[in-house]
Structure formats: C-alpha cells, structure tokens
Amino acid sequence: MRKTIWLCAMAAIMMISCGGSKKQEAPAETNAAETPTLSGLYVSKFKGTVSGKETSLYVMKNTAGMEVCVTNFGGRIVSVMVPDKNGEMKDVVLGFDSIEAFLNNDSNFGALIGRYGNRIALGKFKLDGVEYSLPINNGKNSLHGGPNGFHNQYFDIQQPDDTTLVCSYVSADGEAGYPGELQVKVTYTLTGNNAIAIAYEAETSKPTVVNLTNHSYFNLSGDPNNTILDHVLFINADRYTPVKKDLIPTGKVDPVKGTPLDFTTATVIGDRIDDPSEQIKFGRGYDHNWVFKADNNPSTVACELYCPATGISMEVYTSEPAVQFYSGNFLNGSQAGKKGIAYQQRTALCLETQHYPDSPNQPSFPSTVLKPGEKYTSLCIYKFGVK
C-alpha cells in the first residue's frame, strides 16, 4: 500500500513541478565582503557546532528566482523567498538569522519533526505487548518526539544541485524512548514553478512508530509584524479529531459542519478563531487535526492559504491522511526572529501534514507502526503562487 502511495506521490511531484545536549561553539564572524542570501541571511552566521557536528546553511534557488534556505540543525527551513502580486520578493516563514539564535531558543521553527509528530498521551504507548516511555514536554504528554526530538538533532545534508537537498539522520535504538534504529532520509526539492516538495523515507531495525512532518510557520504577508488573521484558508476536510482539554484526541472523528472548524469553504482565519466553543477554547484558537476527504491523494489540493494584502497563495498537497492546522496561539513575543522582529501570538501558522495525533494509543486511528523490511514514505508539497 505504501509503495502505491509513494508512486502516486512521485507522480504528483512531476505533475506539480512541470512548468541530546547541545555543545555550542562561537559562530564565525561575518565577512564584510560576504554576500547575503536573497532573504538577508549570512552563511557565516550558521557556522558552528552541535554536539561536535558542524552546522551550516544551504541555499536552493530555481530559475524563477525563488530561494529557500535550510540549516542542517534540525533540517530546518530558515527562509522562503517568493514573489508577491507586485513582483516584490517576500520571506514567508519564521526563523532566526544565526545558528546561535536557534540553539538559544526552544522552538520548532521550520524543523523536521520526529520520531512522532504531534502528541502522544502521557508519553507512553504499547507495541507488541511492550510499553515504551517517552520524554514528557507538553503538560503530561510527549510532543514532537520530546525536547530532544529531530528538531534538535544534526542532519547530514548533501546538495547534488541548486534545487535539491538530501537530509539524512540515524536515530539510535532507544533514542527518546522509541524502539529500533531508524534510518531517515528527507529530500527537499525546489521545483521550477515555486513548489517545495518534501519527500520522507525511513526504515527501522525493530517495530516502532513513525510520524514525520515539517513545522514551518507561514505568514504570507512577508512581515511577521502582521498577524495571519486576515489570511484566507481552505482545508479539503469534512471531519476532524476532537480533543480533550490537554489537546489529546478523544478517539472520535467528527464532522466539521456546523463548527468553527469548517474550512470546506475558504474562510478568513480571524472570523471564528475566538469562538466561545469548547474546542476553540481548548486550543486557544486552532490547534487541531483535520481528516482529508481525499485520503492519501497527493494530486488533490489538501489545503490552500491566501493573503489578500500580498496576493501570495500557498497550496498544500500530501500523501498523508490529515493535517494539523496550528494558528500560532502559543507565540508570545518572547522570541525575536529574523530582523529582530518579536514573534507575537498568531503572527504565523503551521499546516503540518501527518497521521493522527496519539495514534499509537488509539486503535481506531490509522496505524503508524513501521516494521523491519518495510519503508516509511510520505510526501508534502507547499506550492506558492499569486492570485
């Protein structure tokens, strides 16, 4: 089944593209003659070490002028430069402008997330009769692989050409409490028509659970001094997984119709984000898992985001059955990002393609178990345009 999904995913890329503890050393000084990236980043400011590994910044460019910068610390997307309706280039993701800032700020900005994206209740799950305990970092629960998940690990990155980055990481057996050595490969591809394709692969030495995603925070205005409340969002999902107060799913899959979570018609995000309903109160806004109508079909638009001020749009395609829409509710101004801008509440949003949260503890949810001899594959595409 996964092989079939993967073949469809690769076809979708072709279709859409046609046309632990951290030891830090002092970062290198910026050379006065150094040319910054289009987004204003300096590669020298990303030179350092994490647990003895060298860090750097990698730049992808396409013939249309789009630029994407990635660091090997967490495999993070640091900047994404796309044109607005006037042809002016805008950076549409949050992040920091140095490796030092990433190391000194606890964040998931732009990161590859694993081994398990989203929450696992009480940091425990059973597999083949054995109970595994995970680090707790979100109330009583484990979130995004714990405090030392993939977002805080070093990825080996190879760049075969201007539009491709191959990120590799080996997660040791027992790392963060998960069984099996997991060999992970994530390929970023920048297509000719301004899409970022993220192709995930993983293999394990023992039965384990896997749910990989990317945690980029998007603001299509290109200015995080602005909120995303004026952005218009469509989600091709007529169901969602309701949550309890701690944001762990109840186990149900309910219709969105008649709730403030209905984005089956493109809707301004700010219209219902402070609705008095219980689900919105639990998330302090949107922080829920939507279940797609077109399950595992990367040729169908899963989500579409649009900023009226800039005209920039972003379509999301995926082979995953669901997406977590998070509206930046827990940003609080305590982190100053690129250009020194403090990231306030709701200045960006995430659309994290995924399997459901807490699936290892929810027998009725699609399985996230990976066994030896199998290959985990997943695809997410963020395609940018102008309306």
Side-chain angles (χ1 to χ4, degrees):
M1 181 62 166
R2 280 196 177 274
K3 183 176 180 181
T4 301
I5 293 169
W6 191 240
L7 290 173
C8 292
M10 292 300 99
I13 291 180
M14 296 302 295
M15 178 194 73
I16 292 169
S17 64
C18 67
S21 63
K22 302 185 287 290
K23 179 182 177 183
Q24 178 187 351
E25 292 184 359
E29 293 294 327
T30 302
N31 188 321
E34 183 181 358
T35 301
T37 67
L38 187 61
S39 58
L41 300 174
Y42 289 90
V43 173
S44 61
K45 289 189 175 182
F46 286 82
K47 297 293 186 181
T49 62
V50 177
S51 301
K53 299 284 190 177
E54 293 184 0
T55 59
S56 192
L57 187 74
Y58 300 79
V59 182
M60 292 190 293
K61 295 181 180 180
N62 66 9
T63 55
M66 181 174 167
E67 177 194 86
V68 179
C69 294
V70 175
T71 179
N72 49 5
F73 176 59
R76 296 168 184 262
I77 294 176
V78 182
S79 66
V80 175
M81 296 292 288
V82 296
D84 69 4
K85 60 186 178 183
N86 298 316
E88 182 179 346
M89 300 300 288
K90 301 286 187 181
D91 186 356
V92 295
V93 297
L94 302 191
F96 299 110
D97 55 13
S98 70
I99 192 63
E100 182 179 19
F102 275 109
L103 292 170
N104 291 335
N105 284 274
D106 183 20
S107 78
N108 292 312
F109 294 146
L112 296 175
I113 299 296
R115 288 192 189 190
Y116 200 95
N118 222 305
R119 295 169 175 87
I120 294 182
L122 303 178
K124 295 181 183 297
F125 69 92
K126 283 186 176 181
L127 184 58
D128 296 336
V130 179
E131 183 173 86
Y132 295 93
S133 295
L134 314 173
I136 302 301
N137 64 329
N138 184 248
K140 296 181 179 180
N141 307 310
S142 184
L143 174 65
H144 294 330
N148 290 312
F150 289 4
H151 60 289
N152 280 334
Q153 303 300 329
Y154 171 93
F155 282 75
D156 290 310
I157 293 185
Q158 302 296 321
Q159 184 166 16
D161 54 55
D162 287 344
T163 60
T164 308
L165 295 175
V166 182
C167 311
S168 302
Y169 177 67
V170 178
S171 177
D173 182 11
E175 181 178 284
Y178 290 89
E181 179 183 273
L182 192 73
Q183 297 189 21
V184 179
K185 183 172 78 171
V186 181
T187 303
Y188 288 114
T189 303
L190 177 58
T191 71
N193 66 340
N194 292 355
I196 304 170
I198 310 174
Y200 304 84
E201 299 177 50
E203 295 180 278
T204 184
S205 63
K206 296 178 182 177
T208 191
V209 294
V210 184
N211 191 27
L212 306 181
T213 191
N214 179 272
H215 211 294
S216 288
Y217 283 72
F218 298 99
N219 182 321
L220 301 188
S221 78
D223 182 358
N225 285 304
N226 304 322
T227 72
I228 44 79
L229 297 180
D230 68 334
H231 286 35
V232 180
L233 179 64
F234 163 75
I235 304 179
N236 192 18
D238 55 8
R239 297 178 297 156
Y240 78 107
T241 51
V243 295
K244 297 175 287 187
K245 190 175 183 179
D246 62 356
L247 300 181
I248 294 294
T250 63
K252 296 181 179 180
V253 181
D254 286 349
V256 299
K257 187 175 182 179
T259 78
L261 288 87
D262 187 352
F263 287 90
T264 53
T265 299
T267 301
V268 176
I269 291 171
D271 282 358
R272 300 178 307 219
I273 198 169
D274 292 316
D275 187 272
S277 65
E278 184 178 68
Q279 286 296 305
I280 295 296
K281 286 182 177 178
F282 285 165
R284 300 187 190 179
Y286 297 110
D287 194 2
H288 297 78
N289 175 66
W290 274 256
V291 178
F292 293 128
K293 294 180 183 179
D295 189 6
N296 298 324
N297 186 349
S299 299
T300 300
V301 175
C303 309
E304 184 174 7
L305 184 67
Y306 168 65
C307 175
T310 60
I312 297 173
S313 65
M314 183 181 77
E315 296 174 344
V316 182
Y317 301 81
T318 184
S319 61
E320 288 296 305
V323 66
Q324 187 84 6
F325 165 36
Y326 168 58
S327 54
N329 314 309
F330 296 97
L331 296 174
N332 59 14
S334 63
Q335 294 170 317
K338 290 172 289 187
K339 300 180 181 178
I341 297 173
Y343 294 148
Q344 305 288 346
Q345 185 186 43
R346 298 172 179 168
T347 54
L349 62 85
C350 303
L351 292 167
E352 306 157 65
T353 58
Q354 61 179 13
H355 269 57
Y356 306 177
D358 199 37
S359 289
N361 295 313
Q362 306 276 359
S364 64
F365 287 178
S367 175
T368 55
V369 173
L370 180 68
K371 298 179 179 179
E374 298 176 343
K375 178 176 283 190
Y376 170 97
T377 59
S378 178
L379 176 72
C380 173
I381 298 172
Y382 297 114
K383 183 178 182 296
F384 297 90
V386 173
K387 286 191 173 183

